[in-house]
Amino acid sequence: MSAIRILAVDDEAHMQELIKWRFRRDIKKKKYEFQFALSGQEALEILSQDEKIDIILCDINMPEMNGLVLLEKIKSLPLLLKTIMVTAYENMENIRAAMNGGAFDFVTKPIEIPDLDATIQKAYEELTLLKAGAAAQKQLPLTQKALEETDKKARYLEELDEFKSRFFTNISHEFRTPLTVIRGISQQIAHDPETWLLKGNLMIQRNTDQLLDLVNQILDLRKLEAGQLSLEYQQLEVVSFIQYLSESFESFAKTKNLKLSFQTEVEALWMDLDLEKILRVMSNLLSNAINFTPEAGEIAVTLAQTSSMPPQLMIEVRDSGIGIASDRLPHIFDRFYQVDDSATRQHEGTGIGLSLSKELVELMQGRISAQSKLGKGTQISITLPIHRKAQKTENAIKVEGPSFLLKPLLNPAIQASNGTNSPAALTGEKPSLLIVEDNPDIVEYLVSCLEDQYMLHVGRDGQEGINLAFEHVPDLIVSDVMMPKRDGFELCEILKTDQRTSHIPIVLLTAQADADSRLQGIRKGADAYLSKPFNQEELFIRLEKLLELRQALLLRYQNPTEAERPSAENFAMEDAFMQKIYEALDQQSGKAFYIPDICEYIGMSRSNLHRKVKALTGESSTKFIRRLRLERSKELLKGGELTISEIAYEIGFNDPSYFSKSFSQEYGVSPKVFRDSL
């Protein structure tokens, strides 16, 4: 137990010695600890410096400031203590005033030490209870506040974990995609250097630059966090520099049919700039503006000098792009944050570009802000202080353009294959394969690998891939997972549950190599799942094995007799499709029957019916359905109840002679000879 701290206030100096002598044993045992004041003013000064006083032992009768005045002043202090008044017994009026004024108790002169000791103990017990109550009262809102703070921190940590999870997922995609190109194209160069050496080296350099840029951004963030990123100013003419920097993005903008303009309100302005950092900031802002602005849109870079004192440089980057929702706008400079964090996001990114830009601008003692309207566009504004302290740079400064951003358009050969039917594909010379991938370099690499073995179609996003699959019904599909509009999982689920395309084997290519992603792909119906960067030979083997699955379909349905075909879960969709054809034939029994009739019954276009039947049977829809009708005629011929002409009309032939001719071509004997041989 700590000592009870007592402040004795009495104008008679001998009281100090008396108290020390009378309580010497208690002081030695550290039961009590005394301080002394000779006046009320001195007591207040002590209380202002020491908030741990427990009890005041105060004489009522003192000059200048008596005990009652001191008691009143003590009440106004934010202190929790007890006051014991000392007075002559006969001075009951002062005693009553002291008790009404808040004194805990009183003792009379001459002081009886046992009485004073008991009064001090009683005052301290009550003070202890009051302190405990006050602590509980104080702790209750603190506990609630602490809970709220804890909950807030928990939510923040949860959101941060979610952001970081998305960040590492996306950055994995950002790393794996160029690595796939680098690894694959290097193999192509080794295999065929004459064809791939020049073009392949350019692709490798571009994707290497992209990786290096990504690594540099991450390292810059780490340096900023550690306070190790320093400024390297040089004084230059900023208008021409920003104009040159903007113009270096024009070729990138033109690949999307965008107009990029530069405007300035000042003809020339010299100031200190860190070239590397302003290049990083402007590159991030301009590439974002280009990426998020639809074709035929506009991007403007403007410069102005503010009229404030001291003056500042203002840089604005405006676009007519997709804009940002108001609830997401405050977070765009947060680290790891992405306005679109879905697997179908229109553009790649890690969520660090704008965060890094903000921190670099602030490192240069500037400010960055954003304004945006959904569907109308976005404006990013930067203000930087104008200083002229660094060494002046007289020579023109040139910077390299963002070469890794200038991805090639799909080459004409690939584009020409979109929306066309190759005669080779329809004659069986080459299987058809649909590539669904939004990265042009990956597309070019896949085409280089597969163009000799397959007739290729290319979809640049998930929705285009789905449309092309319905249009062409290819033999195989190779698709990325993270794509605009619809991701690979959606593509897989839609195509696998549609009777037009359910039979097509699908290979998913993705940077998401974890087990959960693989399982999700399998649940959606993917037949194979390869992680980027994938091995070229493994891709070839996977596709060959999946073509064997197509052969299994041909073997299963080459015999039109349904009863001879065992049920199998893997072929449930295809069995159901074939059953619809059989049902359509039954519905048309005894009538002339044509392909448009079966298309109407099944709910499928003639071209899709043709492609589906060709994929399952290896035959055209016309030939296959004729075989089904002829197989049925064999059963009727065995029955012997109908004439050959009646059988011809029953199975939908208008001309008995044509029926006999078709039967002979299919089975090598006429219907009459077949019946007679039974």
Side-chain angles (χ1 to χ4, degrees), residues 485-526:
K485 297 183 181 178
R486 290 188 184 272
D487 63 29
F489 296 137
E490 290 178 288
L491 174 142
C492 197
E493 183 175 26
I494 289 170
L495 297 183
K496 285 295 187 178
T497 54
D498 192 292
Q499 65 178 1
R500 294 170 289 178
T501 53
S502 58
H503 65 283
I504 303 174
I506 299 176
V507 179
L508 290 181
L509 303 176
T510 182
Q512 296 173 308
D514 58 282
D516 288 343
S517 297
R518 287 178 176 270
L519 289 174
Q520 186 177 359
I522 293 170
R523 290 190 192 101
K524 300 297 183 181

Short mmCIF file of all heavy atoms in Angstrom, two decimals, residues 485-526:
data_model
loop_
_atom_site.label_atom_id
_atom_site.label_comp_id
_atom_site.label_asym_id
_atom_site.label_seq_id
_atom_site.Cartn_x
_atom_site.Cartn_y
_atom_site.Cartn_z
N LYS A 485 -15.24 -7.56 -69.19
CA LYS A 485 -16.63 -7.88 -69.50
C LYS A 485 -17.09 -9.20 -68.88
O LYS A 485 -18.04 -9.22 -68.10
CB LYS A 485 -16.87 -7.87 -71.01
CG LYS A 485 -16.64 -6.50 -71.63
CD LYS A 485 -16.95 -6.48 -73.11
CE LYS A 485 -16.70 -5.09 -73.69
NZ LYS A 485 -16.93 -5.04 -75.14
N ARG A 486 -16.45 -10.30 -69.21
CA ARG A 486 -16.72 -11.58 -68.55
C ARG A 486 -15.41 -12.30 -68.33
O ARG A 486 -14.56 -12.32 -69.23
CB ARG A 486 -17.68 -12.45 -69.38
CG ARG A 486 -19.12 -11.92 -69.43
CD ARG A 486 -20.02 -12.93 -70.10
NE ARG A 486 -21.37 -12.45 -70.26
CZ ARG A 486 -22.34 -12.57 -69.35
NH1 ARG A 486 -22.07 -13.16 -68.19
NH2 ARG A 486 -23.56 -12.11 -69.57
N ASP A 487 -15.23 -12.88 -67.16
CA ASP A 487 -13.98 -13.59 -66.91
C ASP A 487 -14.06 -15.01 -67.45
O ASP A 487 -15.09 -15.47 -67.95
CB ASP A 487 -13.60 -13.55 -65.43
CG ASP A 487 -14.61 -14.27 -64.54
OD1 ASP A 487 -15.27 -15.22 -65.01
OD2 ASP A 487 -14.75 -13.89 -63.36
N GLY A 488 -12.93 -15.72 -67.34
CA GLY A 488 -12.87 -17.07 -67.88
C GLY A 488 -13.82 -18.05 -67.21
O GLY A 488 -14.31 -18.98 -67.85
N PHE A 489 -14.06 -17.85 -65.90
CA PHE A 489 -15.00 -18.73 -65.20
C PHE A 489 -16.41 -18.56 -65.75
O PHE A 489 -17.14 -19.54 -65.96
CB PHE A 489 -14.99 -18.43 -63.70
CG PHE A 489 -13.67 -18.70 -63.03
CD1 PHE A 489 -13.14 -17.81 -62.11
CD2 PHE A 489 -12.94 -19.84 -63.33
CE1 PHE A 489 -11.93 -18.05 -61.49
CE2 PHE A 489 -11.72 -20.09 -62.72
CZ PHE A 489 -11.21 -19.20 -61.81
N GLU A 490 -16.82 -17.31 -65.99
CA GLU A 490 -18.14 -17.06 -66.56
C GLU A 490 -18.24 -17.64 -67.97
O GLU A 490 -19.25 -18.27 -68.33
CB GLU A 490 -18.42 -15.56 -66.59
CG GLU A 490 -18.65 -14.93 -65.24
CD GLU A 490 -18.87 -13.43 -65.35
OE1 GLU A 490 -17.91 -12.70 -65.63
OE2 GLU A 490 -20.02 -13.00 -65.15
N LEU A 491 -17.21 -17.41 -68.76
CA LEU A 491 -17.19 -17.98 -70.11
C LEU A 491 -17.36 -19.48 -70.07
O LEU A 491 -18.16 -20.06 -70.82
CB LEU A 491 -15.88 -17.59 -70.80
CG LEU A 491 -15.60 -18.19 -72.17
CD1 LEU A 491 -14.92 -17.16 -73.08
CD2 LEU A 491 -14.70 -19.43 -72.08
N CYS A 492 -16.63 -20.12 -69.18
CA CYS A 492 -16.67 -21.57 -69.06
C CYS A 492 -18.07 -22.04 -68.66
O CYS A 492 -18.63 -22.97 -69.26
CB CYS A 492 -15.64 -22.01 -68.02
SG CYS A 492 -15.22 -23.75 -68.10
N GLU A 493 -18.66 -21.39 -67.66
CA GLU A 493 -19.97 -21.80 -67.18
C GLU A 493 -21.04 -21.61 -68.26
O GLU A 493 -21.90 -22.48 -68.46
CB GLU A 493 -20.33 -21.00 -65.93
CG GLU A 493 -21.65 -21.40 -65.30
CD GLU A 493 -21.91 -20.66 -64.00
OE1 GLU A 493 -21.38 -19.55 -63.83
OE2 GLU A 493 -22.64 -21.21 -63.16
N ILE A 494 -21.00 -20.48 -68.96
CA ILE A 494 -22.01 -20.20 -69.99
C ILE A 494 -21.91 -21.20 -71.13
O ILE A 494 -22.92 -21.77 -71.58
CB ILE A 494 -21.85 -18.76 -70.51
CG1 ILE A 494 -22.29 -17.77 -69.42
CG2 ILE A 494 -22.66 -18.53 -71.78
CD1 ILE A 494 -21.94 -16.32 -69.73
N LEU A 495 -20.70 -21.45 -71.61
CA LEU A 495 -20.54 -22.33 -72.77
C LEU A 495 -20.81 -23.79 -72.41
O LEU A 495 -21.32 -24.55 -73.24
CB LEU A 495 -19.13 -22.18 -73.35
CG LEU A 495 -18.78 -20.80 -73.91
CD1 LEU A 495 -17.38 -20.81 -74.52
CD2 LEU A 495 -19.80 -20.35 -74.95
N LYS A 496 -20.48 -24.17 -71.19
CA LYS A 496 -20.67 -25.57 -70.80
C LYS A 496 -22.13 -25.90 -70.48
O LYS A 496 -22.49 -27.07 -70.38
CB LYS A 496 -19.79 -25.90 -69.58
CG LYS A 496 -18.32 -26.06 -69.92
CD LYS A 496 -18.06 -27.26 -70.81
CE LYS A 496 -16.58 -27.53 -71.01
NZ LYS A 496 -16.33 -28.73 -71.84
N THR A 497 -22.95 -24.88 -70.27
CA THR A 497 -24.37 -25.13 -69.97
C THR A 497 -25.28 -24.78 -71.14
O THR A 497 -26.50 -24.78 -71.00
CB THR A 497 -24.80 -24.31 -68.74
OG1 THR A 497 -24.50 -22.93 -68.94
CG2 THR A 497 -24.09 -24.80 -67.49
N ASP A 498 -24.70 -24.48 -72.28
CA ASP A 498 -25.48 -24.19 -73.48
C ASP A 498 -25.34 -25.37 -74.45
O ASP A 498 -24.22 -25.81 -74.73
CB ASP A 498 -24.99 -22.90 -74.14
CG ASP A 498 -25.93 -22.39 -75.22
OD1 ASP A 498 -26.03 -23.07 -76.27
OD2 ASP A 498 -26.57 -21.34 -75.01
N GLN A 499 -26.46 -25.87 -74.97
CA GLN A 499 -26.42 -27.07 -75.79
C GLN A 499 -25.62 -26.87 -77.09
O GLN A 499 -25.12 -27.82 -77.67
CB GLN A 499 -27.83 -27.53 -76.14
CG GLN A 499 -28.63 -26.56 -77.00
CD GLN A 499 -30.01 -27.11 -77.35
OE1 GLN A 499 -30.37 -28.21 -76.93
NE2 GLN A 499 -30.79 -26.34 -78.11
N ARG A 500 -25.46 -25.60 -77.51
CA ARG A 500 -24.69 -25.35 -78.72
C ARG A 500 -23.21 -25.59 -78.53
O ARG A 500 -22.49 -25.93 -79.47
CB ARG A 500 -24.92 -23.90 -79.19
CG ARG A 500 -26.32 -23.59 -79.64
CD ARG A 500 -26.51 -22.09 -79.86
NE ARG A 500 -26.52 -21.37 -78.58
CZ ARG A 500 -26.63 -20.05 -78.49
NH1 ARG A 500 -26.72 -19.31 -79.60
NH2 ARG A 500 -26.65 -19.47 -77.31
N THR A 501 -22.72 -25.38 -77.30
CA THR A 501 -21.27 -25.38 -77.08
C THR A 501 -20.82 -26.28 -75.93
O THR A 501 -19.65 -26.29 -75.58
CB THR A 501 -20.80 -23.94 -76.77
OG1 THR A 501 -21.60 -23.41 -75.70
CG2 THR A 501 -20.94 -23.04 -77.99
N SER A 502 -21.76 -27.02 -75.34
CA SER A 502 -21.43 -27.79 -74.13
C SER A 502 -20.35 -28.84 -74.36
O SER A 502 -19.67 -29.26 -73.42
CB SER A 502 -22.69 -28.46 -73.59
OG SER A 502 -23.26 -29.31 -74.58
N HIS A 503 -20.19 -29.28 -75.60
CA HIS A 503 -19.24 -30.35 -75.91
C HIS A 503 -17.81 -29.85 -76.09
O HIS A 503 -16.88 -30.65 -76.17
CB HIS A 503 -19.67 -31.06 -77.20
CG HIS A 503 -19.61 -30.15 -78.39
ND1 HIS A 503 -20.57 -29.19 -78.64
CD2 HIS A 503 -18.69 -30.04 -79.41
CE1 HIS A 503 -20.26 -28.54 -79.75
NE2 HIS A 503 -19.13 -29.03 -80.23
N ILE A 504 -17.61 -28.52 -76.17
CA ILE A 504 -16.29 -27.99 -76.54
C ILE A 504 -15.34 -28.07 -75.34
O ILE A 504 -15.62 -27.50 -74.27
CB ILE A 504 -16.40 -26.52 -77.00
CG1 ILE A 504 -17.37 -26.40 -78.17
CG2 ILE A 504 -15.02 -25.99 -77.41
CD1 ILE A 504 -17.64 -24.96 -78.60
N PRO A 505 -14.19 -28.71 -75.46
CA PRO A 505 -13.20 -28.71 -74.37
C PRO A 505 -12.62 -27.32 -74.18
O PRO A 505 -12.33 -26.62 -75.16
CB PRO A 505 -12.13 -29.70 -74.86
CG PRO A 505 -12.80 -30.53 -75.91
CD PRO A 505 -13.80 -29.61 -76.57
N ILE A 506 -12.45 -26.91 -72.92
CA ILE A 506 -11.95 -25.57 -72.60
C ILE A 506 -10.71 -25.68 -71.72
O ILE A 506 -10.73 -26.38 -70.69
CB ILE A 506 -13.02 -24.73 -71.88
CG1 ILE A 506 -14.26 -24.55 -72.79
CG2 ILE A 506 -12.47 -23.36 -71.50
CD1 ILE A 506 -15.40 -23.82 -72.12
N VAL A 507 -9.66 -24.98 -72.11
CA VAL A 507 -8.43 -24.87 -71.30
C VAL A 507 -8.38 -23.45 -70.74
O VAL A 507 -8.46 -22.48 -71.50
CB VAL A 507 -7.17 -25.13 -72.15
CG1 VAL A 507 -5.92 -24.98 -71.29
CG2 VAL A 507 -7.23 -26.52 -72.76
N LEU A 508 -8.27 -23.32 -69.42
CA LEU A 508 -8.13 -22.00 -68.79
C LEU A 508 -6.66 -21.72 -68.51
O LEU A 508 -5.96 -22.56 -67.93
CB LEU A 508 -8.94 -21.95 -67.49
CG LEU A 508 -10.46 -21.96 -67.62
CD1 LEU A 508 -11.12 -21.89 -66.24
CD2 LEU A 508 -10.96 -20.82 -68.49
N LEU A 509 -6.22 -20.53 -68.93
CA LEU A 509 -4.87 -20.06 -68.63
C LEU A 509 -4.97 -18.92 -67.64
O LEU A 509 -5.73 -17.98 -67.86
CB LEU A 509 -4.18 -19.54 -69.91
CG LEU A 509 -4.06 -20.51 -71.07
CD1 LEU A 509 -3.44 -19.79 -72.26
CD2 LEU A 509 -3.22 -21.71 -70.69
N THR A 510 -4.21 -18.98 -66.56
CA THR A 510 -4.37 -17.94 -65.55
C THR A 510 -3.12 -17.75 -64.72
O THR A 510 -2.28 -18.66 -64.61
CB THR A 510 -5.54 -18.27 -64.62
OG1 THR A 510 -5.70 -17.22 -63.66
CG2 THR A 510 -5.31 -19.56 -63.89
N ALA A 511 -3.01 -16.55 -64.14
CA ALA A 511 -1.96 -16.28 -63.17
C ALA A 511 -2.35 -16.74 -61.78
O ALA A 511 -1.54 -16.77 -60.87
CB ALA A 511 -1.65 -14.79 -63.15
N GLN A 512 -3.65 -17.08 -61.58
CA GLN A 512 -4.13 -17.51 -60.27
C GLN A 512 -3.87 -19.01 -60.14
O GLN A 512 -4.69 -19.83 -60.53
CB GLN A 512 -5.61 -17.20 -60.12
CG GLN A 512 -5.90 -15.71 -60.14
CD GLN A 512 -7.39 -15.43 -60.16
OE1 GLN A 512 -8.13 -15.95 -60.97
NE2 GLN A 512 -7.82 -14.59 -59.24
N ALA A 513 -2.71 -19.33 -59.58
CA ALA A 513 -2.27 -20.72 -59.56
C ALA A 513 -2.69 -21.47 -58.30
O ALA A 513 -2.34 -22.63 -58.13
CB ALA A 513 -0.75 -20.77 -59.70
N ASP A 514 -3.44 -20.82 -57.41
CA ASP A 514 -3.79 -21.47 -56.15
C ASP A 514 -4.84 -22.55 -56.37
O ASP A 514 -5.55 -22.58 -57.38
CB ASP A 514 -4.30 -20.44 -55.14
CG ASP A 514 -5.50 -19.68 -55.69
OD1 ASP A 514 -5.30 -18.77 -56.52
OD2 ASP A 514 -6.63 -20.02 -55.31
N ALA A 515 -4.96 -23.43 -55.38
CA ALA A 515 -5.87 -24.58 -55.49
C ALA A 515 -7.32 -24.14 -55.60
O ALA A 515 -8.10 -24.74 -56.35
CB ALA A 515 -5.68 -25.50 -54.28
N ASP A 516 -7.70 -23.08 -54.87
CA ASP A 516 -9.10 -22.62 -54.92
C ASP A 516 -9.48 -22.19 -56.33
O ASP A 516 -10.59 -22.47 -56.79
CB ASP A 516 -9.31 -21.46 -53.94
CG ASP A 516 -9.28 -21.91 -52.49
OD1 ASP A 516 -9.44 -23.13 -52.27
OD2 ASP A 516 -9.11 -21.07 -51.60
N SER A 517 -8.58 -21.48 -57.01
CA SER A 517 -8.87 -21.04 -58.37
C SER A 517 -9.00 -22.24 -59.31
O SER A 517 -9.87 -22.27 -60.19
CB SER A 517 -7.78 -20.10 -58.87
OG SER A 517 -7.74 -18.92 -58.08
N ARG A 518 -8.14 -23.22 -59.13
CA ARG A 518 -8.23 -24.43 -59.96
C ARG A 518 -9.55 -25.13 -59.73
O ARG A 518 -10.23 -25.55 -60.69
CB ARG A 518 -7.08 -25.38 -59.63
CG ARG A 518 -5.72 -24.92 -60.15
CD ARG A 518 -4.62 -25.90 -59.74
NE ARG A 518 -3.35 -25.52 -60.31
CZ ARG A 518 -2.90 -25.93 -61.49
NH1 ARG A 518 -3.67 -26.74 -62.22
NH2 ARG A 518 -1.74 -25.56 -61.95
N LEU A 519 -9.94 -25.27 -58.47
CA LEU A 519 -11.21 -25.93 -58.16
C LEU A 519 -12.38 -25.16 -58.74
O LEU A 519 -13.35 -25.76 -59.23
CB LEU A 519 -11.36 -26.08 -56.64
CG LEU A 519 -10.44 -27.11 -55.97
CD1 LEU A 519 -10.59 -27.05 -54.46
CD2 LEU A 519 -10.75 -28.51 -56.47
N GLN A 520 -12.32 -23.83 -58.68
CA GLN A 520 -13.41 -23.03 -59.24
C GLN A 520 -13.51 -23.25 -60.75
O GLN A 520 -14.61 -23.38 -61.30
CB GLN A 520 -13.18 -21.54 -58.96
CG GLN A 520 -14.36 -20.67 -59.40
CD GLN A 520 -14.15 -19.21 -59.06
OE1 GLN A 520 -13.14 -18.83 -58.47
NE2 GLN A 520 -15.11 -18.38 -59.41
N GLY A 521 -12.36 -23.31 -61.41
CA GLY A 521 -12.37 -23.57 -62.84
C GLY A 521 -12.95 -24.93 -63.17
O GLY A 521 -13.74 -25.08 -64.12
N ILE A 522 -12.60 -25.93 -62.37
CA ILE A 522 -13.13 -27.29 -62.60
C ILE A 522 -14.63 -27.32 -62.37
O ILE A 522 -15.38 -27.94 -63.12
CB ILE A 522 -12.40 -28.29 -61.69
CG1 ILE A 522 -10.93 -28.41 -62.12
CG2 ILE A 522 -13.08 -29.66 -61.74
CD1 ILE A 522 -10.06 -29.18 -61.16
N ARG A 523 -15.09 -26.63 -61.30
CA ARG A 523 -16.53 -26.59 -61.02
C ARG A 523 -17.30 -25.95 -62.18
O ARG A 523 -18.44 -26.31 -62.44
CB ARG A 523 -16.80 -25.82 -59.72
CG ARG A 523 -16.34 -26.52 -58.46
CD ARG A 523 -16.86 -25.81 -57.22
NE ARG A 523 -16.21 -26.30 -56.02
CZ ARG A 523 -15.23 -25.65 -55.39
NH1 ARG A 523 -14.80 -24.48 -55.86
NH2 ARG A 523 -14.67 -26.15 -54.31
N LYS A 524 -16.70 -24.96 -62.82
CA LYS A 524 -17.37 -24.29 -63.93
C LYS A 524 -17.31 -25.09 -65.22
O LYS A 524 -17.88 -24.69 -66.23
CB LYS A 524 -16.76 -22.91 -64.17
CG LYS A 524 -16.84 -21.96 -62.98
CD LYS A 524 -18.28 -21.64 -62.60
CE LYS A 524 -18.32 -20.63 -61.45
NZ LYS A 524 -19.70 -20.33 -61.04
N GLY A 525 -16.61 -26.23 -65.19
CA GLY A 525 -16.59 -27.11 -66.35
C GLY A 525 -15.31 -27.09 -67.16
O GLY A 525 -15.27 -27.69 -68.24
N ALA A 526 -14.27 -26.42 -66.68
CA ALA A 526 -13.01 -26.40 -67.42
C ALA A 526 -12.46 -27.81 -67.54
O ALA A 526 -12.51 -28.60 -66.59
CB ALA A 526 -12.00 -25.48 -66.74
#
